C-alpha cells in the first residue's frame, strides 16, 4: 500500500537501519532516514494509499477488513474508521439504524442493536441474531447425465466396486468396554508393521468410542449407532475388519453379524474368548496371518466417480466464507461435474442459509427432508435448554464471526453450486452420486464420523483459526483461510487459500489447487494431518437420547 522513492543514495544490498521516522501527514506521507554499514544515508518517503476492505455484495452495508485497520484511517470514499478494526472483522460502510438488518454476502446476518455509524466496528456489541422468514425459489431440476470423465486417481478397487484411498485394517469396538482391547490390538499390529515392508498397508486403526450401552436397544439413537458401525464395517478404506464387543452390552454383536462385507469381517466377544489377554493374542495372530492377503491388493487407476469427499470446516473465521469455503466449493463442483460425490454436513451450521441449498435441490422430497431435519434440531435444542443461535464459538467470534446466520452463509459455500442430489440422515449410506447434504451436529469429530460412515473416502477441512484434525481411515486435507494462520501453522496446513485475499491467486485457481491436492492425496500422498499422526482418536459416533 505504498510508493517508495529514494533520495541521496541508492539502496545497497546490506540491510538498512532506521534511525528516524517522521510522519508528515499521518494518512498520506511518511518519511524515514536510513543509515547503512558504509555510513551512506538514504531518505525514503512512503505515500500511503487508503486501506482496502472487502465488500462481498452490492446489498452489503458492512465490509470485511483484510488486515488490522487502525482508527482514523480511510477505507473508502468518505469513509474513515472510528475505531480499530481487527482483521477478519466487519466495519460499517453505511449508516445503519437500530433494529434494521445487517447484510453480508447480500444476505441477512442479524439485526443492529443500536445505531451504527459509517466506519464503526460491527460485532457482538452491536449486532445480534434475529429470526426471519427465508424465501426461496425452487423448481424441479432434471439432472444432466454426467459425461465420461478423464480424471482418475490411484485407488484400491474393492470387490463390490467401491474404491479406497487407503488400505487399513479396521478394529472396531461395539461398546466402550472393548475400547482398550481394540486399542491394544491396533498398537501391537502397528508396532509389528514398523519393522516390516508392506507397501500396500497403511496400518491398523482402532475405532474406539464411549457408546454402545446404557441406552435403549431400539429407537433413533440406536439406529444412528448401528448405521455408523455398519458404515465403517463396509468402508472401502479397510482391507480387513474385526468387530469386537464385550458380550453383555446393549449393542449386541448379533446386530452387526450380517451379509455386509461378510468376506472381510470377523466378530469376537471378550467374554466368549476368555478375557483381555486371550482375545488380544487371538486376534493379533489372526491379523498377522492375513497381512500378506491385505498387502496383495495394489493401487490401480480408478475413475473420479469413485471419490466421495467430506466437506468440513472447523475453527472458522471472518475469511472462511470469502476464501477457503468458496474455493473448496469450486473444487466440489469439479468433482461432481465429473461424476464424483461430495457430502456437506453440520445442520446447525447451515441454519439460516438453508434456503440457498433448497433453491438447488433436485426435488421436493429432499427439501421436505432437510426442513424436517431443521425442525427436529430446533426441538432438540429447546429440549436441552439451548438455541441454535448459541453458535458461533468463542474462537469463531474472535476471528470475526458474530451470528450463526453469518457463519452458516460462509459454511454453505463449501458445497459449491451443484444440484443437491440427496439429503441423508446421519451415517446414512450415500446412494446418489453428486452433491449431498448429511444431517449431523456441528462438532467436527461427530460430524466427520457420520460423513465417513456414509462413504467419504477423503476429507477436506477448512479452518481460519488453525484447527488440528485428522481422521483414520480417510485422509484429511487442511485448507487455511488466511495467510497469517497458514504461516504460523504451516506444518498442519496443506493449502493456503489466503492467497485469494492477498491478491496472489483467483478463487478459481485455488479451487483447482484444492482439486489437484484431492487427487494427489487420494492416490497416496500423505496429508499434513497424516504426517503429524492425527486420526486415531477422532472416531466419535453421535449419541442421541438418554443415557440410562
Amino acid at each position: 500500500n505504498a510508493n517508495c522513492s529514494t533520495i541521496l543514495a541508492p539502496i545497497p544490498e546490506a540491510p538498512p537501519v532506521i534511525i528516524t521516522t517522521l510522519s508528515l501527514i499521518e494518512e498520506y506521507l511518511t518519511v524515514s532516514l536510513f543509515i547503512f554499514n558504509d555510513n551512506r544515508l538514504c531518505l525514503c518517503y512512503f505515500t500511503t494509499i487508503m486501506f482496502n476492505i472487502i465488500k462481498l455484495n452490492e446489498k452489503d452495508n458492512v465490509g470485511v477488513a483484510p488486515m488490522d485497520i487502525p482508527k482514523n484511517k480511510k477505507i473508502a470514499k468518505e469513509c474513515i474508521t472510528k475505531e480499530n478494526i481487527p482483521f477478519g472483522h466487519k466495519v460499517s460502510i453505511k449508516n445503519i439504524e437500530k433494529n434494521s438488518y445487517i447484510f453480508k454476502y447480500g444476505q441477512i446476518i442479524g439485526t443492529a442493536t443500536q445505531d451504527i455509524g459509517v466506519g464503526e466496528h460491527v460485532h457482538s456489541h452491536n449486532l445480534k441474531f434475529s429470526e426471519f422468514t427465508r424465501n426461496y425459489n425452487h423448481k424441479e431440476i432434471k439432472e444432466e447425465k454426467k459425461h465420461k470423465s478423464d480424471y482418475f486417481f490411484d485407488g484400491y478397487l474393492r470387490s463390490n466396486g467401491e474404491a479406497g484411498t487407503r488400505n487399513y485394517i479396521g478394529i472396531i469396538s461395539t461398546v466402550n468396554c472393548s475400547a482398550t482391547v481394540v486399542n491394544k490390538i491396533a498398537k501391537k499390529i502397528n508396532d509389528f508393521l514398523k519393522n516390516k515392508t508392506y507397501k500396500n498397508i497403511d496400518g491398523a486403526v482402532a475405532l474406539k468410542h464411549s457408546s454402545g450401552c446404557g441406552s435403549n436397544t431400539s429407537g433413533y439413537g440406536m439406529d444412528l449407532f448401528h448405521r455408523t458401525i455398519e458404515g465403517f464395517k463396509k468402508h472401502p478404506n479397510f482391507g480387513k475388519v474385526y468387530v469386537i464387543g464385550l458380550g453383555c452390552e446393549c449393542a449386541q454383536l448379533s446386530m452387526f453379524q450380517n451379509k455386509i462385507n461378510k468376506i472381510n469381517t470377523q466378530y469376537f466377544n471378550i467374554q466368549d474368548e476368555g478375557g483381555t489377554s486371550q482375545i488380544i493374542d487371538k486376534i493379533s495372530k489372526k491379523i498377522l496371518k492375513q497381512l500378506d492377503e491385505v498387502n496383495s491388493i495394489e493401487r490401480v487407476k480408478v475413475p473420479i466417480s469413485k471419490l466421495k469427499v467430506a466437506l468440513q470446516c472447523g475453527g472458522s473465521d471472518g475469511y472462511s466464507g470469502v476464501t477457503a469455503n468458496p474455493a473448496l466449493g469450486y473444487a466440489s463442483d469439479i468433482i461432481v461435474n465429473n461424476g464424483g460425490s461430495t457430502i456437506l454436513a453440520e445442520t446447525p451450521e447451515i441454519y439460516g442459509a438453508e434456503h440457498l441449498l433448497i433453491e438447488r435441490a433436485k426435488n421436493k422430497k429432499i427439501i421436505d427432508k432437510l426442513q424436517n431435519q431443521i425442525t427436529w434440531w430446533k426441538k432438540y435444542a429447546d429440549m436441552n435448554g439451548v438455541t441454535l443461535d448459541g453458535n458461533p464459538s468463542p474462537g469463531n467470534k474472535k476471528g470475526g464471526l458474530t451470528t450463526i446466520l453469518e457463519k452458516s452463509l460462509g459454511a454453505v459455500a463449501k458445497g459449491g453450486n451443484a444440484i443437491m442430489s440427496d439429503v441423508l440422515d446421519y451415517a446414512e449410506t450415500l446412494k446418489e452420486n453428486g452433491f449431498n447434504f448429511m444431517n449431523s451436529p456441528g462438532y467436527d469429530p461427530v460430524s466427520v464420523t457420520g460423513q465417513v460412515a456414509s462413504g467419504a473416502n477423503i476429507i477436506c477441512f477448512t479452518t481460519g483459526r488453525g484447527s488440528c484434525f485428522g481422521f483414520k481411515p480417510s485422509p484429511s486435507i487442511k485448507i487455511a483461510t488466511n495467510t497469517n494462520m497458514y504461516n504460523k501453522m504451516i506444518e498442519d496446513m496443506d493449502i493456503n487459500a489466503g492467497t485469494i485475499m492477498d491478491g496472489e491467486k483467483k478463487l478459481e485457481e485455488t479451487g483447482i489447487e484444492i482439486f489437484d491436492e484431492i487427487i494427489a492425496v487420494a492416490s497416496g500422498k500423505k496429508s499434513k494431518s497424516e504426517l503429524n499422526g492425527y486420526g486415531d482418536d477422532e472416531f466419535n459416533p453421535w449419541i442421541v437420547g438418554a443415557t440410562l
Side-chain angles (χ1 to χ4, degrees):
N1 291 327
N3 295 322
C4 177
S5 296
T6 60
I7 305 173
L8 301 180
I11 298 178
E13 292 183 0
V17 178
I18 299 177
I19 58 173
T20 184
T21 298
L22 176 64
S23 181
L24 298 182
I25 304 174
E26 185 177 357
E27 283 82 6
Y28 300 103
L29 183 64
T30 300
V31 177
S32 296
L33 183 64
F34 297 84
I35 188 168
F36 300 95
N37 293 335
D38 57 2
N39 294 321
R40 286 188 298 165
L41 295 178
C42 177
L43 186 67
C44 294
Y45 68 88
F46 298 82
T47 55
T48 305
I49 302 171
M50 70 180 180
F51 284 84
N52 294 320
I53 57 167
I54 301 169
K55 184 180 178 182
L56 298 168
N57 188 280
E58 283 303 312
K59 290 178 65 176
D60 292 356
N61 47 18
V62 295
V64 180
M67 64 197 81
D68 288 329
I69 303 179
K71 181 180 178 181
N72 295 325
K73 296 298 179 184
K74 191 172 184 180
I75 56 174
K77 186 177 181 181
E78 299 179 356
C79 186
I80 306 293
T81 54
K82 295 182 179 178
E83 52 198 318
N84 295 334
I85 312 297
F87 77 92
H89 282 240
K90 296 175 291 298
V91 57
S92 175
I93 54 177
K94 297 179 182 178
N95 288 317
I96 304 171
E97 294 182 358
K98 181 179 179 180
N99 296 325
S100 60
Y101 287 133
I102 294 177
F103 289 85
K104 182 181 175 183
Y105 307 108
Q107 303 283 335
I108 296 168
I109 64 169
T111 303
T113 59
Q114 62 191 52
D115 290 340
I116 303 173
V118 172
E120 289 188 27
H121 183 204
V122 178
H123 200 33
S124 304
H125 61 289
N126 55 13
L127 166 60
K128 70 174 183 179
F129 167 85
S130 58
E131 191 60 87
F132 67 98
T133 301
R134 260 80 86 188
N135 296 315
Y136 63 88
N137 296 311
H138 177 263
K139 295 180 181 179
E140 289 286 318
I141 301 172
K142 186 176 181 180
E143 287 188 281
E144 295 181 7
K145 189 175 181 180
K146 303 293 187 300
H147 65 276
K148 187 176 179 180
S149 174
D150 294 327
Y151 290 111
F152 295 84
F153 69 98
D154 295 329
Y156 296 102
L157 192 61
R158 305 300 183 185
S159 58
N160 63 357
E162 297 294 325
T165 60
R166 295 293 182 267
N167 192 29
Y168 278 106
I169 297 162
I171 310 165
I172 306 174
S173 63
T174 63
V175 65
N176 179 252
C177 306
S178 57
T180 297
V181 165
V182 301
N183 196 50
K184 287 189 174 185
I185 294 170
K187 184 178 186 305
K188 197 168 184 178
I189 300 304
N190 286 327
D191 287 344
F192 176 84
L193 291 172
K194 286 179 183 177
N195 302 314
K196 303 291 180 179
T197 303
Y198 290 93
K199 66 176 184 177
N200 296 318
I201 299 178
D202 291 287
V205 181
L207 296 176
K208 52 195 184 295
H209 53 87
S210 61
S211 187
C213 204
S215 62
N216 287 330
T217 56
S218 61
Y220 185 56
M222 187 55 76
D223 288 345
L224 294 182
F225 181 73
H226 182 259
R227 277 207 302 265
T228 303
I229 300 301
E230 290 292 339
F232 279 83
K233 237 179 66 179
K234 64 182 180 182
H235 199 279
N237 284 7
F238 286 133
K240 291 286 182 181
V241 176
Y242 299 82
V243 183
I244 303 174
L246 176 61
C248 57
E249 62 272 15
C250 292
Q252 284 286 296
L253 209 61
S254 58
M255 289 175 55
F256 309 102
Q257 291 173 310
N258 49 43
K259 295 181 180 180
I260 294 177
N261 200 22
K262 187 176 182 180
I263 298 174
N264 291 320
T265 307
Q266 298 181 54
Y267 304 86
F268 303 88
N269 271 327
I270 298 172
Q271 293 168 352
D272 296 337
E273 301 299 334
T276 301
S277 59
Q278 286 87 344
I279 195 168
I280 291 172
D281 183 63
K282 180 176 182 176
I283 295 177
S284 297
K285 287 179 178 177
K286 280 183 174 291
I287 294 174
L288 292 176
K289 288 180 180 179
Q290 294 181 322
L291 288 179
D292 287 338
E293 181 186 347
V294 177
N295 189 58
S296 65
I297 184 170
E298 297 185 347
R299 290 185 182 271
V300 295
K301 289 290 181 187
V302 179
I304 197 175
S305 59
K306 302 295 182 183
L307 267 186
K308 297 178 176 68
V309 183
L311 309 173
Q312 190 66 212
C313 61
S316 301
D317 69 350
Y319 300 137
S320 293
V322 181
T323 60
N325 288 355
L328 177 55
Y330 190 87
S332 173
D333 286 343
I334 297 174
I335 292 167
V336 170
N337 290 337
N338 286 276
S341 300
T342 59
I343 308 172
L344 182 68
E346 302 179 287
T347 315
E349 295 185 13
I350 60 105
Y351 172 61
E354 68 273 12
H355 57 292
L356 301 180
L357 294 176
I358 289 171
E359 286 175 349
R360 54 195 176 105
K362 185 173 70 173
N363 55 49
K364 183 68 165 56
K365 182 180 177 180
I366 64 174
I367 291 175
D368 292 342
K369 192 171 182 181
L370 179 59
Q371 290 178 325
N372 288 338
Q373 288 174 352
I374 291 172
T375 299
W376 182 92
W377 268 100
K378 288 180 178 179
K379 292 179 179 178
Y380 184 62
D382 183 63
M383 182 176 67
N384 288 280
V386 297
T387 57
L388 292 181
D389 59 289
N391 204 330
S393 70
N396 296 152
K397 291 181 178 179
K398 190 174 181 181
L401 296 175
T402 310
T403 68
I404 185 58
L405 302 176
E406 180 183 10
K407 185 176 182 180
S408 293
L409 289 163
V412 164
K414 298 193 301 292
N417 296 301
I419 294 167
M420 185 166 66
S421 297
D422 202 3
V423 171
L424 307 171
D425 200 358
Y426 184 81
E428 183 181 352
T429 300
L430 187 145
K431 303 176 290 297
E432 300 279 346
N433 275 29
F435 170 63
N436 287 248
F437 178 79
M438 187 201 76
N439 182 36
S440 84
Y443 183 43
D444 306 326
V446 177
S447 182
V448 174
T449 296
Q451 289 172 305
V452 176
S454 289
N457 50 16
I458 197 164
I459 302 156
C460 285
F461 195 117
T462 65
T463 180
R465 304 296 296 166
S467 180
C468 296
F469 187 86
F471 196 99
K472 295 177 181 177
S474 296
S476 179
I477 297 170
K478 302 302 291 297
I479 306 163
T481 72
N482 66 86
T483 301
N484 286 341
M485 186 274 290
Y486 176 81
N487 289 335
K488 287 179 182 178
M489 299 187 64
I490 195 166
E491 67 171 348
D492 293 288
M493 299 295 123
D494 296 279
I495 290 174
N496 178 23
T499 52
I500 298 170
M501 187 176 59
D502 299 339
E504 296 178 13
K505 289 184 180 179
K506 294 179 180 179
L507 187 146
E508 294 81 4
E509 291 177 293
T510 304
I512 293 170
E513 182 184 0
I514 294 170
F515 172 75
D516 289 341
E517 187 71 3
I518 290 170
I519 299 299
V521 172
S523 299
K525 177 184 176 181
K526 296 291 185 184
S527 68
K528 294 285 185 72
S529 64
E530 290 179 296
L531 294 173
N532 284 322
Y534 285 99
D536 289 299
D537 301 300
E538 286 78 1
F539 179 70
N540 199 338
W542 186 16
I543 300 173
V544 176
T547 300
L548 303 176

